[in-house]
Amino acid sequence: MRYEVDFLVIGSGIAGLSFALKVAPYGKVCILSKGEAAEGSTRYAQGGIAAVMYDSDSFDKHIHDTLVAGDGICDREVVEMTIREAPDRIRELVQYGVNFDKSRGSDRFDLHREGGHSEFRILHHKDNTGAEIERGLLEAVRSHPNIELKEHQFAIDIITQHHLGQRVTKHTPGIECYGVYALDCRTNEIDTYLAKVTLLATGGMGNVYTTTTTPIVSTGDGVAMVHRARGVLADLEFMQFHPTSLYNPAEKPAFLITEAMRGAGAILKDFKGHEFMHKYDARLSLAPRDIVARAIDNEMKIAGVDHLYLDARGIGKDELINGFPTIYAKCLELGINITKDMIPIRPAAHYQCGGIKVDRNGESSIKHLYAAGECACTGLHGGNRLASNSLLEAVVYAHNAAMSAINQISQSSQNTPNSQIPDWNAEGMVLNEEMVLITQTKRELQELMWNYVGIVRSDLRLQRAFDRLNLIFRETEDLYNRSVLTEELSELRNLIACAYLIIKMARARRENVGLHYSIDLVKDK
Ligand code: FAD
Ligand code: SIN
């Protein structure tokens, strides 16, 4: 089937949905989501969204905290713009129907604090903020007459001049996006979606690693699509590992223990129940994430154990049960009463700071192609994202991208060669009947990334990862070239592309900065 719309949105998390709501008054919008609409990192966000809402805090302080966490390589102008825009975007979320908690008996938002923040400035909805945001935005989208939301539609590749038979390299000037090819996961047909403007809002790539807090849909599809289309990507060496995922090895994704719990007073302890953060940073358990995750990794390696503890018992029973109901219930299910027992934790891949390079309007290096949310690299996070700045970045850039896209289609000088764009050609392909070829390769990929390209890296580990990835890449391309395309195979190719980009950028980064940390670079100093 062929479809034509004004605005095509790939992804139904906070970035895709808020962009769709903004552009909908100006044209026909279609949102494609590869699973159920609500599935994505957004709904799992616990801590909340950072913004300066009252005079007790200041933009300057939030800007300073963001720059410090980013380890000196944030884009300062982007940081200032994002943080100053934050209150307006928060008020819009509230208008869309999102509820944030208020302080008892008052009209003021109840604010939490997380690692790296010098003030209490995290708006939240108990400990399930993301689920509330996703609910509010989805309800608004579903009731908008100009928006069509299509679930189980897997975007495979963006359509460019390459599909018109032209040779496109990363040096080709004026690469343009005309839409995407997408697999209808229910009929197994590959459809052609043509659009004046396309937004990638495909989220993160946590599933490149064995242990991740991100859901199974986070397979770096947007980044891989742009890589294949020869667009510009940046900062992919900066994979953020969250210090405290619940240690429960069989569970995927790993369940998060929000940093807000440390903000409320919970303390990291080693395997014997002793505090250890004083050895690493004066901010103790509330140091920025890169520092805390490395400290935990180091303590685990020294003691030869696979988890440490978070001790929340000092917070008080009432606050634990009422303020963190999701975590309390989850732990209780596993026999851990967090008012009495320490919580077993370990780090997990959590957030990709880099991605599709975009300008301040969210526009990528490919014309008519925008990106927002976790798949985009705006310059806000630098070497390490400050907690709760991600949902904020997503709404700010969805807004900027929407304003620019509306402007772009109103000028409409775009001369899309729609009739010349061919449909997907699946001729001569056979059905891959051995799923093990995909599942085993995915496991190998995730393990090699976890062990060689994780929290602590070295030149030798990166070289080994690169060599092994090369073999995995060749085998998978061979499978891809002869098989009917499936969602699983497409995701595997995307994960391989993301792993390649992470390793390549990690090898090119010759200094320890933010989340990129190599033992060889320490020695060089
Ligand atoms: P997502 O919400 O991940 O949505 C991506 C969408 O794209 C999904 O709908 C997915 O199905 C779709 N998609 C992907 N590929 C394709 C494809 N090929 N075709 C079609 N559709 C596709 N950040 C904060 O600021 N505060 C927090 O408290 C916080 N807590 C977090 C807790 C957890 C457990 C996790 C995992 C992350 C947390 N983050 C937090 C990070 C934040 O939640 C994410 O960065 C943010 O939600 C990303 O939003 P998004 O719209 O970019 O992507
Ligand atoms: C958390 O609640 O600890 C996660 C916050 C974030 O990833 O920004």
Side-chain angles (χ1 to χ4, degrees), residues 217-328:
V217 294
S218 304
T219 51
D221 299 350
V223 165
M225 283 189 253
V226 169
H227 171 61
R228 286 194 289 274
R230 308 290 185 255
V232 178
L233 302 156
D235 292 354
L236 289 161
E237 66 274 37
F238 300 124
M239 168 59 71
Q240 184 170 75
F241 290 80
H242 197 291
T244 56
S245 78
L246 180 64
Y247 176 72
N248 184 23
E251 185 170 3
K252 270 186 184 242
F255 181 82
L256 186 77
I257 307 294
T258 177
E259 210 160 289
M261 206 169 237
R262 276 177 280 140
I267 294 165
L268 287 163
K269 298 213 166 145
D270 68 15
F271 203 67
K272 292 186 176 152
H274 300 140
E275 291 183 36
F276 60 89
M277 274 309 297
H278 57 277
K279 291 190 261 173
Y280 299 92
D281 196 281
R283 289 162 289 185
L284 306 175
S285 293
L286 278 177
R289 255 177 220 178
D290 53 335
I291 295 169
V292 181
R294 268 198 301 276
I296 295 175
D297 185 67
N298 195 42
E299 290 291 320
M300 278 172 29
K301 286 199 169 112
I302 290 171
V305 295
D306 49 13
H307 67 274
L308 301 185
Y309 292 103
L310 183 69
D311 188 349
R313 293 173 295 187
I315 293 180
K317 198 171 170 182
D318 278 358
E319 196 180 336
L320 275 179
I321 296 174
N322 298 320
F324 303 96
T326 317
I327 295 175
Y328 176 74

Side-chain angles (χ1 to χ4, degrees), residues 76-121:
R76 194 184 176 105
E77 280 184 19
V78 165
V79 174
E80 294 202 358
M81 181 269 289
T82 307
I83 282 159
R84 288 179 198 282
E85 264 194 42
D88 286 346
R89 302 288 80 83
I90 298 286
R91 284 188 274 272
E92 279 168 3
L93 284 175
V94 172
Q95 276 162 15
Y96 289 138
V98 175
N99 296 304
F100 294 110
D101 288 354
K102 301 269 178 68
S103 299
R104 202 169 293 167
S106 131
D107 236 12
R108 286 167 73 94
F109 293 114
D110 179 50
L111 301 174
H112 277 170
R113 186 174 166 204
E114 292 177 339
H117 287 275
S118 56
E119 291 289 343
F120 285 75
R121 64 167 72 97

Side-chain angles (χ1 to χ4, degrees), residues 501-516:
L501 291 161
I502 295 172
I503 298 170
K504 188 176 132 192
M505 293 191 196
R507 291 175 85 186
R509 173 80 55 190
R510 299 309 302 162
E511 58 177 342
N512 279 340
V513 58
L515 296 153
H516 176 68

